[in-house]
Amino acid sequence: CMQRVSHYRSGRVLHLHLRIPIDDKLCDLHVIAVYGVSSPMSSAAKRQLNADVHQTVAALLSTYSKHAVVVTGDINVASRDVDRHTGRQEQYDANRHALWRLLQSKGFVDCYVQAHPGRTDMTFKPNGKAVSRIDSTWANEDMLRWPGANGHPRSSICYVRTAAQLRPRAACNTILWSV
């Protein structure tokens, strides 16, 4: 049951608080959807917006650190070299406000990487050309302990057809648990 929906930073961060009945008790789940800044170091305005998004997500993670949390979205940076078709990260991928850095520092797991070790599927495919995996879903330890997860998320990348191209969407980069 939906408890609360909040949005921050011009809609770039969306927080959903769900309360879900599991084994005769109500469990809180916090889903944080993020639309990261593209080329976040290319201008002063983008650097500031990137820092603001980072700060907002950090505050939410701190507030809900005792609950199951999933962070998902188009974060617009690659966390690993293999997440770029060139085999190396762009300079801005490793900026100090890159969301993957924050998530790793808080113990979050990249669900797709954990579910599919060694795979190098891309999520950004302009005009059908695989360029990068900049859409991702991350879960904290509390989420990985939920019934049905057993510490191992099942995650996938789905593709949906748009008017111009076949392109994956972060909303389809999903964690699946049976509860």
Side-chain angles (χ1 to χ4, degrees), residues 73-134:
D74 179 355
I75 65 171
N76 270 317
V77 289
S79 64
R80 307 172 307 155
D81 288 337
V82 298
D83 292 333
R84 294 281 181 190
H85 77 284
T86 59
R88 62 180 169 73
Q89 289 177 302
E90 295 293 334
Q91 193 170 24
Y92 60 78
D93 287 329
N95 79 82
R96 69 185 178 117
H97 293 119
L99 285 177
W100 66 265
R101 286 182 176 279
L102 171 65
L103 295 167
Q104 282 184 352
S105 75
K106 299 291 185 185
F108 279 69
V109 172
D110 181 329
C111 296
Y112 192 77
V113 171
Q114 185 170 345
H116 306 285
R119 295 205 42 184
T120 58
D121 301 303
M122 303 295 173
T123 60
F124 181 54
K125 293 184 171 188
N127 300 317
K129 181 183 177 203
V131 173
S132 57
R133 189 175 74 89
I134 56 175

Side-chain angles (χ1 to χ4, degrees), residues 141-159:
E141 189 175 318
D142 289 322
M143 185 72 239
L144 294 175
R145 286 196 304 255
W146 267 40
N150 300 321
H152 302 288
R154 294 175 299 241
S155 178
S156 63
I157 297 173
C158 317
Y159 297 90

